[in-house]
Amino acid sequence: MGSLPAAAPPGPAAAAGALDFSTAGQLTVIGVCALTAYLAHRALAVFNDGVRPFLLDFLQGRATRSATGAVSFGLSAGFIFGLGAPMALSSGVLNPWLVFLPTDLLGILAPRKWLAPVLGGAWGAVVVFGLKGANEVAHELPVDFLTAMQRMATPILFLFTLFPVLAISKQFGRLPGAVAGVVELALVVVTMKLLPEVFAGAPAMAAGVLLLIGFAVARDLRQRRRERVRAAGERAETAHEWAGTAHERAEAADEQAGAAGRQTGAAEDRTKAADELPAGPDEDPMVSLFSASAARLRRHLPLFMALGAGVCLLAQLHIFGGGEAASFLIAKGRTVEAAQVDFYRAFGFLPLIATTALASGAYGIAGFTFVYPLGYLLPSPWWALVCGALVFAAEVLALSGIGRVLGGLPSVRDSSEQLRGAIGATLQLALLFGSLLAAQAMGGGLGILLVGGLYLLNEAMGRVVVRTAAGPAAVVAGGVLLNVLYWLDLFTPLTS
């Protein structure tokens, strides 16, 4: 059906951290980076959820391109150098922090429309060619900290399993959280015993997410039932008041007649005032903004379909993982489990992406991220191109409806926020624990002292590097320091 590349064969070879891409894979990365930078330049889409709200000020002329670029750099630099690059080097799989955050910045800063895709494509070339060289150089060092960083995989994969339990505990209390914890633990033990070939955290995460959704829907149903009962009581009370004496009803009728007269006069006054105002003042400003943003995104639907096709193809090639856990699972060839992890993760970010897109008129580079799990599972690059484009088209066209549905399900919307917070909390602990394991592997007690000390120093200095990225960044810095000590003949590598 053509010369599109086949997906990389799954298996342990992918976990070697070689970052060795085929020619088709290199062209895909460069092309996707060029497109994402172009979309960021036109303020149509960015990956960083924190940058998206600022694009509204840029679109409306209240912020300059350089000021918006400064915001993007401030919110992205820590994730690029502290998380994206170390994760890619240790897992051998690209990730969105390394690929998309720089193209956000380059696209926003590019002074000309044609320059944005050029800069984005150049960054893609740096990623596919530069990382391989850096990876080879790092593996030749006396202290191979990249190999040591692969120790981070186990805590990330297993602690990530607990994020539904944390979300349930925070939103619904201790007892539901304890129930979810016991269910997940039991499933992990049973899966490890009976299905050793399956990632044990996958069934547990599925059960946890289903419990969270069940608790949220049940709470919304109870809330609606209480509202109906309260409304029925108010109607009964009103009917009782109207069932008074004939005299009272007559007086009430007289008062209503008077009130009707006053309302008629007031209505006439409001009509006159409305005639004097500009067109459209009776429309809710927020509704008007959301409608305008959705319409703006729909006008550029072909560009978003091309973006969805490119991102889905990137995932289908198995050279890209949408999250920390998925990256290591992709590297190990466990694409089904990686799809499951990223599918659950998407629900934690869906409300945030939808609301920020409707408020700013800029969509997410990966959409609602459903193209990640879809791409992992598709058997053909051609299917990835078609399905990715269709998924993005459906997402953009359904954006307004999704916003309305979320408005009517407050507990489900809150669950997504709790999921997002729980994912961050579990990953922070997993990355810190994994970083200390990597530190011990590359330098023993001295390694733990360096990495743990750098992490604590970052905390004491007010988190110069964001907490999620502080651990991996400390491992890289600690590895460099250990190599310097080796060259000064002050340290002997443990594996030499």
Short mmCIF file of all heavy atoms in Angstrom, two decimals, residues 175-241:
data_model
loop_
_atom_site.label_atom_id
_atom_site.label_comp_id
_atom_site.label_asym_id
_atom_site.label_seq_id
_atom_site.Cartn_x
_atom_site.Cartn_y
_atom_site.Cartn_z
N LEU A 175 -12.91 5.71 53.53
CA LEU A 175 -13.46 4.37 53.33
C LEU A 175 -13.47 3.97 51.85
O LEU A 175 -12.96 2.88 51.51
CB LEU A 175 -14.87 4.28 53.93
CG LEU A 175 -15.56 2.91 53.80
CD1 LEU A 175 -14.72 1.84 54.49
CD2 LEU A 175 -16.96 2.95 54.40
N PRO A 176 -14.03 4.79 50.95
CA PRO A 176 -13.95 4.41 49.52
C PRO A 176 -12.50 4.27 49.04
O PRO A 176 -12.19 3.38 48.24
CB PRO A 176 -14.67 5.56 48.81
CG PRO A 176 -15.57 6.14 49.84
CD PRO A 176 -14.83 6.02 51.13
N GLY A 177 -11.61 5.13 49.56
CA GLY A 177 -10.20 5.03 49.16
C GLY A 177 -9.59 3.72 49.63
O GLY A 177 -8.82 3.08 48.90
N ALA A 178 -9.93 3.31 50.87
CA ALA A 178 -9.40 2.05 51.39
C ALA A 178 -9.93 0.87 50.60
O ALA A 178 -9.20 -0.09 50.30
CB ALA A 178 -9.78 1.91 52.86
N VAL A 179 -11.21 0.92 50.25
CA VAL A 179 -11.80 -0.16 49.44
C VAL A 179 -11.08 -0.27 48.10
O VAL A 179 -10.71 -1.36 47.65
CB VAL A 179 -13.31 0.09 49.22
CG1 VAL A 179 -13.87 -0.89 48.20
CG2 VAL A 179 -14.06 -0.03 50.54
N ALA A 180 -10.87 0.88 47.46
CA ALA A 180 -10.17 0.87 46.17
C ALA A 180 -8.75 0.35 46.31
O ALA A 180 -8.25 -0.40 45.46
CB ALA A 180 -10.17 2.28 45.58
N GLY A 181 -8.08 0.73 47.41
CA GLY A 181 -6.72 0.26 47.63
C GLY A 181 -6.65 -1.25 47.80
O GLY A 181 -5.76 -1.91 47.24
N VAL A 182 -7.58 -1.81 48.57
CA VAL A 182 -7.60 -3.26 48.78
C VAL A 182 -7.89 -3.98 47.46
O VAL A 182 -7.26 -4.99 47.13
CB VAL A 182 -8.65 -3.62 49.85
CG1 VAL A 182 -8.85 -5.13 49.91
CG2 VAL A 182 -8.22 -3.09 51.21
N VAL A 183 -8.84 -3.45 46.69
CA VAL A 183 -9.17 -4.08 45.40
C VAL A 183 -7.96 -4.07 44.46
O VAL A 183 -7.63 -5.09 43.83
CB VAL A 183 -10.37 -3.35 44.76
CG1 VAL A 183 -10.58 -3.83 43.31
CG2 VAL A 183 -11.64 -3.59 45.56
N GLU A 184 -7.29 -2.93 44.38
CA GLU A 184 -6.13 -2.85 43.47
C GLU A 184 -5.01 -3.78 43.92
O GLU A 184 -4.38 -4.45 43.10
CB GLU A 184 -5.65 -1.40 43.39
CG GLU A 184 -6.53 -0.49 42.55
CD GLU A 184 -5.75 0.64 41.93
OE1 GLU A 184 -4.51 0.63 42.00
OE2 GLU A 184 -6.38 1.54 41.35
N LEU A 185 -4.74 -3.78 45.23
CA LEU A 185 -3.66 -4.65 45.73
C LEU A 185 -3.96 -6.11 45.45
O LEU A 185 -3.08 -6.87 45.02
CB LEU A 185 -3.47 -4.41 47.23
CG LEU A 185 -2.39 -5.26 47.91
CD1 LEU A 185 -1.02 -4.97 47.29
CD2 LEU A 185 -2.35 -4.99 49.42
N ALA A 186 -5.21 -6.50 45.67
CA ALA A 186 -5.59 -7.90 45.41
C ALA A 186 -5.41 -8.24 43.94
O ALA A 186 -4.92 -9.32 43.59
CB ALA A 186 -7.04 -8.12 45.85
N LEU A 187 -5.81 -7.32 43.06
CA LEU A 187 -5.67 -7.58 41.63
C LEU A 187 -4.20 -7.68 41.21
O LEU A 187 -3.84 -8.49 40.36
CB LEU A 187 -6.38 -6.47 40.83
CG LEU A 187 -7.91 -6.59 40.79
CD1 LEU A 187 -8.51 -5.35 40.13
CD2 LEU A 187 -8.32 -7.84 40.01
N VAL A 188 -3.36 -6.84 41.80
CA VAL A 188 -1.92 -6.91 41.47
C VAL A 188 -1.35 -8.26 41.88
O VAL A 188 -0.63 -8.93 41.10
CB VAL A 188 -1.15 -5.76 42.16
CG1 VAL A 188 0.36 -5.99 42.08
CG2 VAL A 188 -1.51 -4.43 41.53
N VAL A 189 -1.69 -8.70 43.09
CA VAL A 189 -1.16 -9.99 43.58
C VAL A 189 -1.67 -11.15 42.72
O VAL A 189 -0.90 -12.03 42.31
CB VAL A 189 -1.56 -10.19 45.06
CG1 VAL A 189 -1.17 -11.59 45.53
CG2 VAL A 189 -0.89 -9.14 45.93
N VAL A 190 -2.97 -11.13 42.43
CA VAL A 190 -3.55 -12.22 41.64
C VAL A 190 -2.97 -12.24 40.22
O VAL A 190 -2.64 -13.30 39.67
CB VAL A 190 -5.09 -12.07 41.59
CG1 VAL A 190 -5.70 -13.04 40.58
CG2 VAL A 190 -5.68 -12.33 42.97
N THR A 191 -2.81 -11.04 39.63
CA THR A 191 -2.26 -10.99 38.27
C THR A 191 -0.82 -11.48 38.22
O THR A 191 -0.43 -12.22 37.31
CB THR A 191 -2.33 -9.54 37.74
OG1 THR A 191 -3.67 -9.07 37.82
CG2 THR A 191 -1.87 -9.47 36.29
N MET A 192 -0.02 -11.08 39.22
CA MET A 192 1.37 -11.54 39.25
C MET A 192 1.46 -13.05 39.43
O MET A 192 2.38 -13.69 38.91
CB MET A 192 2.13 -10.82 40.37
CG MET A 192 2.29 -9.33 40.15
SD MET A 192 3.12 -8.48 41.50
CE MET A 192 4.80 -9.01 41.24
N LYS A 193 0.48 -13.61 40.14
CA LYS A 193 0.51 -15.05 40.41
C LYS A 193 -0.02 -15.85 39.22
O LYS A 193 0.58 -16.86 38.82
CB LYS A 193 -0.35 -15.35 41.65
CG LYS A 193 -0.39 -16.81 42.05
CD LYS A 193 0.98 -17.29 42.53
CE LYS A 193 0.92 -18.74 43.00
NZ LYS A 193 2.26 -19.22 43.41
N LEU A 194 -1.15 -15.41 38.65
CA LEU A 194 -1.83 -16.21 37.64
C LEU A 194 -1.47 -15.80 36.21
O LEU A 194 -1.54 -16.63 35.31
CB LEU A 194 -3.35 -16.12 37.83
CG LEU A 194 -3.88 -16.58 39.20
CD1 LEU A 194 -5.39 -16.42 39.27
CD2 LEU A 194 -3.47 -18.04 39.46
N LEU A 195 -1.16 -14.50 35.99
CA LEU A 195 -0.87 -14.01 34.63
C LEU A 195 0.46 -13.27 34.62
O LEU A 195 0.51 -12.05 34.45
CB LEU A 195 -2.00 -13.10 34.15
CG LEU A 195 -3.41 -13.72 34.09
CD1 LEU A 195 -4.45 -12.64 33.86
CD2 LEU A 195 -3.46 -14.76 32.97
N PRO A 196 1.55 -13.98 34.83
CA PRO A 196 2.85 -13.29 34.95
C PRO A 196 3.28 -12.58 33.67
O PRO A 196 4.13 -11.68 33.72
CB PRO A 196 3.81 -14.44 35.30
CG PRO A 196 3.13 -15.68 34.81
CD PRO A 196 1.67 -15.44 34.99
N GLU A 197 2.69 -12.95 32.54
CA GLU A 197 3.07 -12.29 31.28
C GLU A 197 2.38 -10.94 31.10
O GLU A 197 2.73 -10.17 30.21
CB GLU A 197 2.76 -13.20 30.10
CG GLU A 197 1.29 -13.37 29.75
CD GLU A 197 0.56 -14.34 30.67
OE1 GLU A 197 1.19 -14.89 31.61
OE2 GLU A 197 -0.64 -14.57 30.44
N VAL A 198 1.39 -10.63 31.97
CA VAL A 198 0.64 -9.36 31.89
C VAL A 198 1.22 -8.38 32.90
O VAL A 198 1.56 -8.79 34.03
CB VAL A 198 -0.86 -9.62 32.16
CG1 VAL A 198 -1.63 -8.29 32.18
CG2 VAL A 198 -1.43 -10.55 31.10
N PHE A 199 1.32 -7.11 32.54
CA PHE A 199 1.76 -6.08 33.50
C PHE A 199 0.73 -6.01 34.63
O PHE A 199 -0.45 -5.71 34.40
CB PHE A 199 1.89 -4.74 32.80
CG PHE A 199 2.10 -3.59 33.75
CD1 PHE A 199 3.10 -3.64 34.71
CD2 PHE A 199 1.30 -2.47 33.68
CE1 PHE A 199 3.29 -2.58 35.59
CE2 PHE A 199 1.48 -1.40 34.55
CZ PHE A 199 2.47 -1.46 35.51
N ALA A 200 1.17 -6.28 35.85
CA ALA A 200 0.24 -6.46 36.96
C ALA A 200 -0.56 -5.20 37.29
O ALA A 200 -1.65 -5.28 37.83
CB ALA A 200 1.01 -6.92 38.20
N GLY A 201 -0.01 -4.04 36.96
CA GLY A 201 -0.72 -2.82 37.30
C GLY A 201 -1.89 -2.51 36.38
O GLY A 201 -2.77 -1.71 36.74
N ALA A 202 -1.93 -3.13 35.19
CA ALA A 202 -2.96 -2.78 34.22
C ALA A 202 -4.37 -3.14 34.69
O ALA A 202 -5.26 -2.27 34.70
CB ALA A 202 -2.64 -3.45 32.88
N PRO A 203 -4.64 -4.38 35.13
CA PRO A 203 -6.00 -4.67 35.63
C PRO A 203 -6.35 -3.85 36.86
O PRO A 203 -7.50 -3.44 37.04
CB PRO A 203 -5.93 -6.17 35.95
CG PRO A 203 -4.77 -6.70 35.19
CD PRO A 203 -3.79 -5.59 35.12
N ALA A 204 -5.38 -3.61 37.72
CA ALA A 204 -5.65 -2.84 38.93
C ALA A 204 -6.04 -1.41 38.59
O ALA A 204 -6.97 -0.84 39.18
CB ALA A 204 -4.41 -2.85 39.83
N MET A 205 -5.34 -0.79 37.63
CA MET A 205 -5.69 0.57 37.22
C MET A 205 -7.09 0.61 36.62
O MET A 205 -7.87 1.54 36.86
CB MET A 205 -4.68 1.10 36.21
CG MET A 205 -3.47 1.76 36.85
SD MET A 205 -2.40 2.54 35.65
CE MET A 205 -1.60 1.14 34.95
N ALA A 206 -7.42 -0.41 35.82
CA ALA A 206 -8.75 -0.44 35.22
C ALA A 206 -9.83 -0.47 36.29
O ALA A 206 -10.81 0.27 36.23
CB ALA A 206 -8.87 -1.67 34.31
N ALA A 207 -9.62 -1.33 37.31
CA ALA A 207 -10.61 -1.43 38.39
C ALA A 207 -10.69 -0.10 39.16
O ALA A 207 -11.79 0.36 39.51
CB ALA A 207 -10.22 -2.57 39.32
N GLY A 208 -9.54 0.52 39.43
CA GLY A 208 -9.54 1.77 40.17
C GLY A 208 -10.27 2.89 39.44
O GLY A 208 -11.06 3.64 40.04
N VAL A 209 -10.02 3.01 38.13
CA VAL A 209 -10.68 4.06 37.36
C VAL A 209 -12.19 3.81 37.29
O VAL A 209 -13.00 4.74 37.40
CB VAL A 209 -10.07 4.15 35.95
CG1 VAL A 209 -10.89 5.09 35.06
CG2 VAL A 209 -8.63 4.64 36.03
N LEU A 210 -12.59 2.54 37.12
CA LEU A 210 -14.02 2.23 37.09
C LEU A 210 -14.69 2.55 38.42
O LEU A 210 -15.81 3.08 38.46
CB LEU A 210 -14.22 0.75 36.73
CG LEU A 210 -13.91 0.37 35.28
CD1 LEU A 210 -14.03 -1.14 35.09
CD2 LEU A 210 -14.86 1.09 34.33
N LEU A 211 -14.00 2.26 39.53
CA LEU A 211 -14.55 2.61 40.84
C LEU A 211 -14.71 4.12 40.98
O LEU A 211 -15.73 4.61 41.49
CB LEU A 211 -13.63 2.07 41.95
CG LEU A 211 -13.73 0.58 42.25
CD1 LEU A 211 -12.65 0.16 43.24
CD2 LEU A 211 -15.11 0.25 42.83
N LEU A 212 -13.71 4.87 40.52
CA LEU A 212 -13.78 6.33 40.61
C LEU A 212 -14.97 6.87 39.81
O LEU A 212 -15.74 7.72 40.30
CB LEU A 212 -12.48 6.93 40.09
CG LEU A 212 -12.41 8.46 40.05
CD1 LEU A 212 -12.52 9.05 41.45
CD2 LEU A 212 -11.13 8.93 39.38
N ILE A 213 -15.12 6.37 38.60
CA ILE A 213 -16.25 6.84 37.77
C ILE A 213 -17.58 6.44 38.41
O ILE A 213 -18.54 7.22 38.43
CB ILE A 213 -16.13 6.25 36.35
CG1 ILE A 213 -14.89 6.82 35.65
CG2 ILE A 213 -17.38 6.55 35.53
CD1 ILE A 213 -14.59 6.19 34.31
N GLY A 214 -17.63 5.23 38.96
CA GLY A 214 -18.86 4.79 39.62
C GLY A 214 -19.23 5.66 40.81
O GLY A 214 -20.38 6.07 40.96
N PHE A 215 -18.24 5.97 41.66
CA PHE A 215 -18.50 6.85 42.81
C PHE A 215 -18.98 8.23 42.34
O PHE A 215 -19.88 8.82 42.92
CB PHE A 215 -17.23 7.00 43.65
CG PHE A 215 -16.89 5.78 44.46
CD1 PHE A 215 -15.59 5.31 44.54
CD2 PHE A 215 -17.89 5.09 45.16
CE1 PHE A 215 -15.27 4.19 45.29
CE2 PHE A 215 -17.58 3.96 45.91
CZ PHE A 215 -16.28 3.51 45.97
N ALA A 216 -18.34 8.76 41.28
CA ALA A 216 -18.70 10.10 40.80
C ALA A 216 -20.11 10.13 40.22
O ALA A 216 -20.90 11.04 40.53
CB ALA A 216 -17.68 10.55 39.74
N VAL A 217 -20.44 9.14 39.39
CA VAL A 217 -21.79 9.11 38.81
C VAL A 217 -22.84 8.94 39.89
O VAL A 217 -23.90 9.58 39.88
CB VAL A 217 -21.87 7.98 37.76
CG1 VAL A 217 -23.31 7.80 37.28
CG2 VAL A 217 -20.97 8.30 36.57
N ALA A 218 -22.55 8.07 40.88
CA ALA A 218 -23.51 7.86 41.98
C ALA A 218 -23.73 9.15 42.76
O ALA A 218 -24.86 9.48 43.13
CB ALA A 218 -22.98 6.76 42.91
N ARG A 219 -22.66 9.91 43.00
CA ARG A 219 -22.83 11.18 43.72
C ARG A 219 -23.66 12.17 42.90
O ARG A 219 -24.52 12.86 43.45
CB ARG A 219 -21.45 11.79 44.03
CG ARG A 219 -21.53 13.16 44.63
CD ARG A 219 -20.19 13.71 45.01
NE ARG A 219 -19.68 13.10 46.23
CZ ARG A 219 -18.56 13.49 46.85
NH1 ARG A 219 -17.84 14.47 46.32
NH2 ARG A 219 -18.16 12.91 47.96
N ASP A 220 -23.40 12.24 41.60
CA ASP A 220 -24.19 13.16 40.76
C ASP A 220 -25.67 12.76 40.75
O ASP A 220 -26.56 13.61 40.79
CB ASP A 220 -23.64 13.18 39.33
CG ASP A 220 -22.41 14.05 39.22
OD1 ASP A 220 -22.23 14.93 40.08
OD2 ASP A 220 -21.63 13.87 38.26
N LEU A 221 -25.94 11.44 40.68
CA LEU A 221 -27.34 10.98 40.69
C LEU A 221 -28.01 11.32 42.01
O LEU A 221 -29.18 11.73 42.04
CB LEU A 221 -27.38 9.48 40.42
CG LEU A 221 -26.97 9.04 39.00
CD1 LEU A 221 -27.00 7.52 38.88
CD2 LEU A 221 -27.89 9.67 37.96
N ARG A 222 -27.28 11.12 43.13
CA ARG A 222 -27.86 11.47 44.43
C ARG A 222 -28.13 12.97 44.52
O ARG A 222 -29.16 13.39 45.04
CB ARG A 222 -26.92 11.03 45.56
CG ARG A 222 -26.88 9.55 45.80
CD ARG A 222 -26.25 9.25 47.17
NE ARG A 222 -24.89 9.73 47.24
CZ ARG A 222 -23.82 9.05 46.89
NH1 ARG A 222 -23.97 7.82 46.42
NH2 ARG A 222 -22.61 9.55 46.99
N GLN A 223 -27.23 13.77 43.98
CA GLN A 223 -27.41 15.22 44.02
C GLN A 223 -28.63 15.64 43.19
O GLN A 223 -29.42 16.48 43.62
CB GLN A 223 -26.14 15.90 43.47
CG GLN A 223 -26.20 17.41 43.43
CD GLN A 223 -26.32 18.03 44.80
OE1 GLN A 223 -25.88 17.43 45.79
NE2 GLN A 223 -26.92 19.21 44.88
N ARG A 224 -28.79 15.03 42.04
CA ARG A 224 -29.96 15.36 41.21
C ARG A 224 -31.26 14.94 41.90
O ARG A 224 -32.27 15.63 41.83
CB ARG A 224 -29.85 14.66 39.84
CG ARG A 224 -28.76 15.26 38.96
CD ARG A 224 -28.79 14.63 37.59
NE ARG A 224 -27.76 15.19 36.73
CZ ARG A 224 -27.58 14.84 35.47
NH1 ARG A 224 -28.37 13.93 34.92
NH2 ARG A 224 -26.63 15.39 34.75
N ARG A 225 -31.21 13.77 42.57
CA ARG A 225 -32.40 13.31 43.29
C ARG A 225 -32.75 14.29 44.40
O ARG A 225 -33.92 14.63 44.60
CB ARG A 225 -32.15 11.91 43.86
CG ARG A 225 -33.43 11.23 44.37
CD ARG A 225 -33.15 9.84 44.89
NE ARG A 225 -32.51 9.01 43.90
CZ ARG A 225 -31.29 8.48 44.01
NH1 ARG A 225 -30.57 8.72 45.08
NH2 ARG A 225 -30.78 7.73 43.05
N ARG A 226 -31.77 14.76 45.14
CA ARG A 226 -32.03 15.75 46.20
C ARG A 226 -32.59 17.05 45.62
O ARG A 226 -33.47 17.67 46.20
CB ARG A 226 -30.74 16.02 46.98
CG ARG A 226 -30.36 14.92 47.95
CD ARG A 226 -29.30 15.41 48.93
NE ARG A 226 -28.05 15.68 48.25
CZ ARG A 226 -27.07 14.77 48.13
NH1 ARG A 226 -27.24 13.56 48.62
NH2 ARG A 226 -25.95 15.07 47.51
N GLU A 227 -32.07 17.45 44.47
CA GLU A 227 -32.58 18.68 43.85
C GLU A 227 -34.02 18.53 43.42
O GLU A 227 -34.82 19.46 43.54
CB GLU A 227 -31.68 19.05 42.65
CG GLU A 227 -30.29 19.51 43.06
CD GLU A 227 -29.41 19.78 41.86
OE1 GLU A 227 -29.85 19.45 40.73
OE2 GLU A 227 -28.28 20.28 42.04
N ARG A 228 -34.36 17.32 42.90
CA ARG A 228 -35.76 17.10 42.51
C ARG A 228 -36.68 17.13 43.72
O ARG A 228 -37.77 17.71 43.68
CB ARG A 228 -35.89 15.77 41.77
CG ARG A 228 -35.35 15.79 40.35
CD ARG A 228 -35.89 14.61 39.56
NE ARG A 228 -35.45 13.33 40.11
CZ ARG A 228 -34.35 12.71 39.75
NH1 ARG A 228 -33.58 13.23 38.82
NH2 ARG A 228 -34.02 11.56 40.30
N VAL A 229 -36.25 16.50 44.83
CA VAL A 229 -37.06 16.50 46.05
C VAL A 229 -37.23 17.92 46.57
O VAL A 229 -38.33 18.34 46.98
CB VAL A 229 -36.41 15.59 47.11
CG1 VAL A 229 -37.11 15.75 48.46
CG2 VAL A 229 -36.46 14.14 46.66
N ARG A 230 -36.15 18.69 46.55
CA ARG A 230 -36.23 20.07 47.03
C ARG A 230 -37.16 20.91 46.14
O ARG A 230 -37.96 21.71 46.64
CB ARG A 230 -34.84 20.69 47.06
CG ARG A 230 -34.82 22.08 47.67
CD ARG A 230 -33.42 22.56 48.00
NE ARG A 230 -32.52 22.49 46.86
CZ ARG A 230 -31.50 21.64 46.75
NH1 ARG A 230 -31.28 20.77 47.72
NH2 ARG A 230 -30.74 21.64 45.69
N ALA A 231 -37.08 20.70 44.83
CA ALA A 231 -37.96 21.43 43.92
C ALA A 231 -39.42 21.06 44.13
O ALA A 231 -40.31 21.92 44.10
CB ALA A 231 -37.55 21.16 42.47
N ALA A 232 -39.67 19.75 44.39
CA ALA A 232 -41.05 19.32 44.65
C ALA A 232 -41.58 19.95 45.93
O ALA A 232 -42.74 20.37 46.01
CB ALA A 232 -41.11 17.80 44.74
N GLY A 233 -40.72 20.03 46.96
CA GLY A 233 -41.13 20.67 48.20
C GLY A 233 -41.45 22.14 48.01
O GLY A 233 -42.42 22.67 48.57
N GLU A 234 -40.65 22.83 47.20
CA GLU A 234 -40.90 24.25 46.95
C GLU A 234 -42.22 24.44 46.19
O GLU A 234 -42.96 25.38 46.47
CB GLU A 234 -39.74 24.83 46.16
CG GLU A 234 -38.45 24.92 46.98
CD GLU A 234 -37.26 25.36 46.14
OE1 GLU A 234 -37.43 25.50 44.91
OE2 GLU A 234 -36.19 25.58 46.71
N ARG A 235 -42.49 23.52 45.26
CA ARG A 235 -43.76 23.62 44.53
C ARG A 235 -44.94 23.39 45.47
O ARG A 235 -45.97 24.07 45.39
CB ARG A 235 -43.79 22.62 43.38
CG ARG A 235 -42.91 23.01 42.21
CD ARG A 235 -43.26 22.20 40.97
NE ARG A 235 -43.05 20.78 41.18
CZ ARG A 235 -41.90 20.16 40.93
NH1 ARG A 235 -40.88 20.84 40.48
NH2 ARG A 235 -41.77 18.86 41.15
N ALA A 236 -44.80 22.39 46.38
CA ALA A 236 -45.89 22.12 47.32
C ALA A 236 -46.12 23.32 48.25
O ALA A 236 -47.26 23.68 48.55
CB ALA A 236 -45.56 20.88 48.14
N GLU A 237 -45.04 23.94 48.67
CA GLU A 237 -45.17 25.10 49.55
C GLU A 237 -45.84 26.25 48.82
O GLU A 237 -46.71 26.94 49.38
CB GLU A 237 -43.78 25.52 50.04
CG GLU A 237 -43.83 26.64 51.07
CD GLU A 237 -42.42 26.96 51.57
OE1 GLU A 237 -41.50 26.20 51.24
OE2 GLU A 237 -42.27 27.95 52.28
N THR A 238 -45.50 26.42 47.57
CA THR A 238 -46.13 27.48 46.79
C THR A 238 -47.62 27.21 46.61
O THR A 238 -48.46 28.12 46.73
CB THR A 238 -45.46 27.57 45.41
OG1 THR A 238 -44.07 27.82 45.60
CG2 THR A 238 -46.07 28.69 44.59
N ALA A 239 -47.96 25.94 46.34
CA ALA A 239 -49.37 25.59 46.17
C ALA A 239 -50.15 25.82 47.46
O ALA A 239 -51.30 26.27 47.44
CB ALA A 239 -49.49 24.13 45.74
N HIS A 240 -49.50 25.55 48.61
CA HIS A 240 -50.17 25.76 49.89
C HIS A 240 -50.45 27.24 50.12
O HIS A 240 -51.51 27.63 50.62
CB HIS A 240 -49.29 25.22 51.01
CG HIS A 240 -49.87 25.42 52.39
ND1 HIS A 240 -50.96 24.71 52.85
CD2 HIS A 240 -49.52 26.29 53.38
CE1 HIS A 240 -51.24 25.11 54.08
NE2 HIS A 240 -50.39 26.07 54.43
N GLU A 241 -49.50 28.03 49.75
CA GLU A 241 -49.70 29.48 49.92
C GLU A 241 -50.85 29.99 49.07
O GLU A 241 -51.62 30.86 49.47
CB GLU A 241 -48.41 30.21 49.58
CG GLU A 241 -47.30 29.96 50.61
CD GLU A 241 -45.99 30.58 50.17
OE1 GLU A 241 -45.95 31.09 49.01
OE2 GLU A 241 -45.02 30.54 50.94
#
